[in-house]
Amino acid sequence: MFAQIINTLSDLLYSYILIILLLGTGIYFSIRTRFVQFRMLRESIRVIMEPKEDENGLSSFQALMVSTASRVGTGNIAGISTAICLGGPGAVFWMWVTALLGSASAFIESTLAQIYKRKAEDGTCYGGPAYYIQAVLKKRWLGALFAVFLILTYMAGFNLVASFNIVDTFRAYSFFDESWTPAVIGGILAVIFCICICGGSRQISKVTGILVPAMGIFYLALSLFVVVTHFELIPRMFADIFSNAFDLQAVFGGFTGSCVMQGIKRGLFSNEAGVGSAPNAAASASVSHPVKQGLVQMLSVFIDTIVICSATSFLLLCSGVAPSDELKGMPWVQAAAENALGEIGITFITIALFLFAFTTLIGNFFYAEMGLGYLCDKKPDKALLIGLRAVATIVVFGGSMIEFSVAWSTADVIMGFLALINLPVIIILGGPAVQCMKDYMRQKKEGKNPVFRAEDIGLEDRTDFWN
């Protein structure tokens, strides 16, 4: 009965309510910012190369890696396979559309997180949706509700799924024994995870700063190799994507399984734009102007969907292996890699999936730690942090031996509630972020390195950094 209730809620949220809300918000902010995701994409790339403004905070690049570590996960591999198998190649086009629209929402929420970020006793900065909810709406109970869902979603639900998927990648090998292998792999994974998170946010940023670029380059290289070695299929691939995207039967023939719906779901929930997770990492960056981090987090959406998800799509569609309902998920990805590289292809996919899922574990815990900090109304004391890390480690170990279908649906529902809280809030509070963007553009035109002051945009709410 619990499984039925959770699955029904998940279908309702993801097929109707959140699709309309997330797309509508993306369109609204794209128009209001005059399509900042296109106008300032080049500037966002420049910003990530800037050194951090304060030794106590994270650099823009480090904050980008933390948020990308959480965004990029097994859904970027298995999720794309499932979307194409169920919806057709046109799902890729609609995935691109939703990412381009969602990046405007990501810009707004991360800029807001920077404007209303808080200063810790050690000089570091922190913040996120819970903090700008309290700062402007004066509703701490709503911020606390968001923080609770943040912890439950990322430390519990998503990390159970990520841990399971890491173990699941080894099931294709002959040494795998269901009676003991999951426990051994889960134990090793839990120990490594615990070591990585015990250093706090700075240690997390160092680990993800190394693993995320390595993971991305590794996987993109494999995808590029498959595409190049099957170059004769490239014209047909793009023809299939665009023809299927606008095929009326493919679009309207059973909408919940159509290319539009599959592409929207994959685009929206791979990059999490508007959900309210990435602003927690954005608020930890040390920058001279909030818009800089808004641009960086906007770029993270491009990296996740336009780059990583597209790489999976091209790998699959150029592999020479036809999609089918039976191959949805990892089987098609493994078959595609094996067809292009032989048995070593399966090893490549295993390593890539491990890196994707492991960095997701680390990035997710960062968000859980931020949620706990809000509930404590300060930086959590050492004993509480140790307790949180212990529970997180147990969750990772437990995930290696769990049946994940109910856990995944539960995580989807909880994350849906995050979006239901955050999206209306950023629509209400979006004005300061838009004014902040205009202030940034004005200073850039004057040849300055933009520096923000709250009074320059008439911001009356108290801030810790910009007065």
Side-chain angles (χ1 to χ4, degrees):
M1 182 178 293
F2 176 75
Q4 289 178 343
I5 293 173
I6 287 296
N7 289 329
T8 300
L9 277 174
S10 180
D11 290 342
L12 178 64
L13 284 171
Y14 282 67
S15 298
Y16 303 101
I17 300 173
L18 285 177
I19 295 297
I20 295 171
L21 186 57
L22 280 160
L23 280 180
T25 304
I27 293 171
Y28 171 71
F29 282 123
S30 293
I31 295 172
R32 195 168 179 191
T33 61
R34 294 186 294 125
F35 294 91
V36 64
Q37 62 267 51
F38 301 114
R39 291 189 301 109
M40 302 183 73
L41 179 60
R42 184 175 178 179
E43 174 69 4
S44 70
I45 297 173
R46 186 196 67 79
V47 167
I48 65 171
M49 306 309 296
E50 290 185 352
K52 60 183 177 182
E53 305 285 342
D54 185 347
E55 287 302 316
N56 289 321
L58 302 182
S59 68
S60 291
F61 177 77
Q62 288 173 324
L64 171 67
M65 290 303 100
V66 171
S67 61
T68 303
S70 178
R71 278 191 172 114
V72 177
T74 54
N76 296 75
I77 301 178
I80 299 303
S81 169
T82 300
I84 297 174
C85 284
L86 297 181
V92 178
F93 173 82
W94 294 106
M95 173 190 72
W96 292 336
V97 170
T98 53
L100 294 175
L101 292 174
S103 58
S105 300
F107 170 80
I108 293 293
E109 64 180 358
S110 294
T111 300
L112 284 172
Q114 267 288 320
I115 292 174
Y116 296 106
K117 67 183 179 179
R118 303 280 291 274
K119 180 178 290 186
E121 293 179 0
D122 61 0
T124 59
C125 47
Y126 61 95
Y131 294 93
Y132 55 67
I133 287 172
Q134 180 176 341
V136 184
L137 298 181
K138 314 300 182 184
K139 298 184 184 295
R140 177 166 171 77
W141 67 267
L142 185 59
L145 185 64
F146 181 91
V148 169
F149 280 125
L150 189 72
I151 295 171
L152 291 176
T153 300
Y154 288 91
M155 190 188 76
F158 282 5
N159 274 5
L160 283 173
V161 175
S163 178
F164 177 89
N165 282 325
I166 288 176
V167 173
D168 199 39
T169 61
F170 291 93
R171 284 188 163 84
Y173 298 93
S174 58
F175 66 80
F176 191 92
D177 187 320
E178 199 68 48
S179 64
W180 61 268
T181 310
V184 172
I185 296 176
I188 295 172
L189 182 62
V191 171
I192 298 174
F193 170 78
C194 186
I195 292 172
C196 289
I197 66 172
C198 280
S201 61
R202 295 186 189 182
Q203 180 67 21
I204 291 171
S205 68
K206 290 178 182 178
V207 173
T208 55
I210 296 172
L211 286 183
V212 172
M215 170 188 69
I217 293 171
F218 175 84
Y219 186 67
L220 291 175
L222 169 63
S223 302
L224 181 62
F225 177 82
V226 173
V227 172
V228 170
T229 54
H230 295 78
F231 68 92
E232 70 279 2
L233 297 177
I234 295 177
R236 180 181 173 182
M237 175 188 72
F238 282 108
D240 288 344
I241 289 174
F242 289 103
S243 63
N244 183 250
F246 297 100
D247 181 83
L248 293 180
Q249 184 175 357
V251 171
F252 296 107
F255 187 64
T256 57
S258 70
C259 66
V260 178
M261 182 57 68
Q262 292 296 329
I264 288 173
K265 289 176 73 174
R266 181 62 265 141
L268 290 177
F269 302 107
S270 70
N271 57 57
E272 302 173 17
V275 170
S277 55
N280 294 277
S284 299
S286 176
V287 291
S288 64
H289 200 289
V291 165
K292 289 186 177 181
Q293 202 56 35
L295 292 173
V296 169
Q297 298 309 126
M298 179 184 80
L299 182 63
S300 180
V301 175
F302 280 84
I303 292 173
D304 174 273
T305 306
I306 304 300
V307 179
I308 304 293
C309 289
S310 294
T312 298
S313 304
F314 297 161
L315 181 154
L316 295 171
L317 293 172
C318 284
S319 67
V321 179
S324 67
D325 186 67
E326 293 75 22
L327 287 176
K328 63 180 180 292
M330 286 306 298
W332 189 24
V333 182
Q334 292 173 326
E338 185 176 18
N339 187 60
L341 302 174
E343 290 188 7
I344 195 174
I346 297 178
T347 303
F348 270 113
I349 293 299
T350 299
I351 296 172
L353 196 67
F354 179 89
L355 289 175
F356 274 65
F358 185 73
T359 54
T360 295
L361 288 173
I362 299 173
N364 285 349
F365 180 79
F366 178 88
Y367 294 148
E369 193 173 288
M370 294 297 295
L372 180 65
Y374 179 81
L375 293 176
C376 295
D377 201 24
K378 60 179 181 179
K379 187 173 181 178
D381 60 41
K382 188 174 182 180
L384 202 54
L385 275 177
I386 291 174
L388 184 73
R389 290 164 185 167
V391 172
T393 302
I394 293 171
V395 167
V396 170
F397 177 73
S400 66
M401 297 179 290
I402 199 172
E403 198 285 314
F404 83 105
S405 60
V406 174
W408 180 250
S409 294
T410 302
D412 280 346
V413 169
I414 299 171
M415 187 178 76
F417 286 121
L418 283 181
L420 288 177
I421 296 171
N422 186 59
L423 287 170
V425 167
I426 64 173
I427 291 174
I428 295 171
L429 305 184
V434 175
Q435 292 301 316
C436 201
M437 179 195 71
K438 293 178 180 178
D439 176 70
Y440 184 89
M441 293 172 61
R442 176 184 60 78
Q443 294 189 52
K444 286 293 293 184
K445 288 180 180 179
E446 294 173 356
K448 300 177 181 178
N449 176 30
V451 176
F452 181 66
R453 294 185 303 172
E455 61 187 41
D456 291 342
I457 63 169
L459 191 66
E460 298 179 357
D461 299 302
R462 178 187 175 276
T463 64
D464 282 10
F465 281 87
W466 311 112
N467 293 319

